[in-house]
Amino acid sequence: MSLFSFSTNKKVIATKPKIAHFSLSTQNSWLLWCCQCINIALISAELSSWMLAIIALSFVWQALLLNKNATSHKLSSDKKNSQSKKKPDHHISPVFLGFFAIAGCLAITLSAQGLGVLLSMVHLLSFAYALKAFELKSRRDFYQLFLLGLFLVAAALIFKQDLSFALIAMVALVVNLAVLLQFFSRAQAVSNTLKTVLLLLGQSMFLAAVLFIVFPRLSPFWQVPQANSATTGLSDTVQPGDIAKLAQSSELAFRVNFSQGNIPTYSQLYWRAMVLEDYDGRAWSRTAPDPATVSHDNYQLEAINKRLFMPNTFKESEKLNYQIITEPSFQHWLFALAPATSKDNSLLLLPDYTIQSRKLLSQAKGYHLDSYLNSPLEVNIAQERKAQNLALPARSNPRLVQLAQQLAQQYPDSEQRAQAVLTQIREQQYFYTLEPPRLLNNSLDQFFFDTKAGFCEHYASAFTFIMRASGVPARLVTGYLGGEYNNLSSDGTTNRSNEAQGAQQGHLSIYQSDAHAWSEIWVEGKGWLRVDPTAAVDPMRVNSGFSTQLQQQQLALNNNLLSFNHLKKFAWLNELRLRFDALDYQWTRWVLGYSNDKQRDLLQQLLGKVQAWKVALIIIGAMAISIALVFGVMLLINHQKKQKRALSPWLVLYQKALLILANNGLEKPVNVTPQKFLLILKIKYPELSLAFARVNASFTRLNYQELTREEQKKEFKKLQQHYKNFIKATKKI
Amino acid sequence: MSPVLSPSENQQVIQDILATIESVVLGKPQECKLALACLLAQGHLLIEDLPGMGKTTLAHMLATTLGLSYQRIQFTSDLLPADVVGFSMLNHTDNSFELHKGAIFNQVVLADEINRASPKTQSALLEAMAEEQVSIDGATYELPSPFFVIATQNPLSHSGTYPLPESQLDRFMMRLSLGFPDLAAEKKILLSHNGKNKTLTKAPTVNHTAIIDQAGLLAMQQAVQEVTVANDVLEYIIALSHISRSAYVDKPLTAQQSNKTGSLGDLHCNPLSPRASKALLSAAKAVAFIDNRDYVLPDDVQAVFYVVCQHRLEQTPTQILSQHAQKNSIAQRILEQVDVLNPLAY
């Protein structure tokens, strides 16, 4: 900013010292209004509907006021006697505004429990932002409003960080800055202002990038309260119909990047999230203690020990290494192809081969996993676990129990028994549908024998129930199936994967619509076996994804016009979508996923061994160099634009004196010479004229007379002395 | 008198000259000072005013006090170029052509009511003013030095006048108008007319003798040239003339001015030539010299800007004598545009 200090210096002199009434020009008012709308729109997803309604109301009100002001302004300028009359400004009375504000704050406080700390703060911020626009009484209010706007944009980024949102936030930032700049240079066209803002942003981008890479990521000094956002994705209880609902969403769940070898076939991509072992007759839920309350270390230790001491079960040749980047789900669940291991400390490996994150997933998280697809799970389990997976509530689904007992007699082998159930599903008239008919009391009997139409969780529940009733330990597993392969994300730094022959480039995107439920049965000597009854009713779903009929169903149910299923219909749109997805993937991977550890790794690569002083040195050095570079370039540009001439020190001093006078109500018009100004001063402030005359005389000598170096120095000292005396004189008045 | 005088002596002489002129041209100290400055800056002077305002008196006084040879030509519509510059005539005694020098072969030529003459005659003056030489029958004759033309003219609306072409206007360093005297001055004029010294009105300069000689004047002109000009003042002059050119120059001088051209662009003034800015500088130097300074202040530039530039900026057909006209003139508006302290405003 120091580069622009000259111009600001001038501006200060040019502004009138006494601003009786602050008002924005009509154009600027509207610009500000639009900017406010954009800022609020950015965060609108997080606001509750009543708050949005209040804010919308105040914006409409604001617009009406602006409109009124504009017309009355026109009228008064037509009358020409606008100067004598007071400007008829329409303002809301402060009492009313205060009442409104207090009422709004009360409402926020009352609903704070439901909203959580972070969201209620965001509500408060937005509310203040909307109301502040009503009382723009001075420049300071305008600045406050501007800062609040910036804060709001930043706050919006707490909740969402994907590429498209980041771009939108960037646009909002540009608009905010443009409004500020427009305020300072009213004469400029808006397009010119935009150009300037973009130029400035472009210049600062480089600095921002350097700081992003090298600036140490300090842990926050205070705990940012977790966003109490609605959880997305799978929940840890499943009732029939839950997953069908989830499958209508086209939101991204997570992305996978296989670092070496081939991607497994579609039907192998069973991304396990949760294992549900408890059935209460209505819903499946899990028993494992809540990860937030249990001391993790014991649990973790047990899990790791179990896996490490099964040397024969995991074959190194079958190892599949991949990286998963999840979207924020505000849950703890992570996804894996079982069985999987990881050395990542932030992960919690549970004994049922599911994985949890130690922290709530409020941000995108990346983690590496090693999976051994064909290895058995838990060949030996304890008796109590067996019993748990056989437990059924008394007197539920009697018809299924009956069927199960029948089958148990018919097929003594548990695998054959499972096969028999699948055959029945395959051969009878069962339908796979996203719109399952409602079941009374979630009765599986009703589904299996009467309606015979359901989504994956219906079949998995029913199958698991039958298996349990027939004496085979079985459990329900939820997760995702398949994923969309995107090979457009060419990877800039895949040196590791390039080493592997035939390395796959690209990534898998798994959407909420890929949510799935299946069963696992425990067979003596083989461990847990995956059985997917969906494969029996709709083989296509398991082998390649949604059938066209399902897709149409999905389209009909999904009212989001922009959902990718609509776009899929056009090849080029689909390609565009995939490209954007690839870009978003890189963004998530490199920008959002740039963590403390990655930064350390990078510095380590650059510097060798990490030592505190080295890191400090490189950070300071990089910052200094980048700042110097940016300023150097700017200086160079400025120099080329106009051969810049530094203001002489005496002129600066003289202008300071003028500024003091201007603040006291006597401004020097630019075209008045110092000598003439002195005459004006003598009339208006006779008591100051002597002191100022000395300043003036010295300045005149320095500025206009030809002096030798020595004389100049002497005279400047005199000027400084005179200036001090002048200031003393002004203080007396 | 020694050709080189000390500053204090110079000042004494200047004050004497001014006092003498002012004793005759009553109540017009500012105009007298400017007229003197014009001559010290080696420029030609145009005095435009209504008849009977003392134009001729001022011109006459300037010539006499500076000790210069002086002749007056009364311009009329039938005045021929030969009347101004002279002609060759056959001498019957030795059968040779003899040059009869015109009125222009004087150090000070008073071209009275110059806009009454035809353009042809006016332009005869042109070469003389610009080159300080005249050509008669193929031979070129140097004019005496120093050489001044002091022209007077009536406002253009008067009958029987030919407007001076821009090229000729540009050759006058200054255009002055005297304006009506104030009450006290007019009373004094009337008293002197009514009083004992009747000869004063007939030939007001008769009683006055030269205060300075030719060599002294040349030395003083030299001293004027040596007045120093600070960079800020130079830039001030540049900025002033540049603004007048804004309609002709693509690139505005500064960003600040680019915003202002809108207000000036619709004025349609003639742009100031480099000759004009040179004249502005010389005149400012002369004013500084008269004020006993060896450096130029922006005040000096402002003091002479109207008289030096207004006649170059626009043709004013109507009265130019009122104060009101000066306040609303283009020259004044240009002055208002430029920041004195930071002319090329960054």
Side-chain angles (χ1 to χ4, degrees), chain A residues 288-308:
Chain A
D290 187 9
T293 54
V294 164
S295 91
H296 299 304
D297 298 324
N298 294 336
Y299 215 35
Q300 175 93 353
L301 210 61
E302 186 196 350
I304 288 175
N305 285 347
K306 234 179 193 176
R307 279 173 222 191
L308 286 185

Side-chain angles (χ1 to χ4, degrees), chain B residues 39 59 62-63 68-72 103 106-110 146-150:
Chain B
L39 298 198
L62 278 172
L68 304 173
S69 70
Y70 163 82
Q71 191 134 26
R72 164 178 174 166
N106 277 295
Q107 285 167 323
V108 174
V109 177
L110 174 60
F147 173 76
F148 299 121
V149 172
I150 301 176

Side-chain angles (χ1 to χ4, degrees), chain A residues 7 10 642-645 647 651 654-655 658 668 670-676 699-700 703-706, chain B residues 228 230-233 235-236 256 294-299 302 335-336 338-342 345-346:
Chain A
S7 52
K10 280 195 75 61
K642 45 203 168 182
Q643 292 209 321
K644 209 173 174 72
R645 187 183 51 138
L647 287 188
L651 186 54
Y654 184 71
Q655 282 187 333
L658 286 182
K668 186 181 97 65
V670 286
N671 63 325
V672 167
T673 61
Q675 311 299 322
K676 280 182 192 148
F699 166 70
T700 308
N703 208 35
Y704 299 115
Q705 217 170 335
E706 223 165 61
Chain B
T228 60
N231 189 38
D232 270 31
V233 177
E235 284 181 0
Y236 186 49
Q256 201 189 4
D294 61 351
Y295 56 94
V296 178
L297 284 177
D299 301 74
Q302 288 193 346
L335 273 182
E336 278 162 15
V338 182
D339 186 351
V340 175
L341 293 179
N342 201 357
Y346 284 102

